[in-house]
Amino acid sequence: MQNAITHGNDRMVYVKTIAVTDLPREVRDQAEGLELLYAVHDAEGQQLALVGDRKLAFALAREHDYKPVLVH
């Protein structure tokens, strides 16, 4: 059985800024002129989402009951 602290950490996600130029060609082609995108990753590092707006990344995480944290 998981305790509340462990369960809380499982629901944390990390929002990271990514330069569009660092992404694969097919993703760059879809970036529609944006220079930065925001990736949402789980605690294991798996990318869950890639969006064009920081506020949207946080809202999307919260909408799915995750606690977002900005990675510098």
Side-chain angles (χ1 to χ4, degrees), residues 30-50:
Q30 296 176 35
E32 300 179 356
L34 296 174
E35 294 182 17
L36 297 174
L37 293 176
Y38 297 86
V40 180
H41 294 267
D42 66 14
E44 288 79 37
Q46 180 179 348
Q47 183 176 305
L48 303 175
L50 187 61

Side-chain angles (χ1 to χ4, degrees), residues 5-59:
I5 294 172
T6 302
H7 178 69
N9 288 339
D10 290 344
R11 300 305 298 172
M12 188 172 291
V13 292
Y14 302 91
V15 178
K16 176 182 174 183
T17 305
I18 298 179
V20 171
T21 56
D22 293 339
L23 296 170
R25 178 67 160 194
E26 59 272 8
V27 178
R28 289 192 314 250
D29 291 344
Q30 296 176 35
E32 300 179 356
L34 296 174
E35 294 182 17
L36 297 174
L37 293 176
Y38 297 86
V40 180
H41 294 267
D42 66 14
E44 288 79 37
Q46 180 179 348
Q47 183 176 305
L48 303 175
L50 187 61
V51 297
D53 182 82
R54 181 178 176 267
K55 287 182 182 183
L56 177 59
F58 276 74

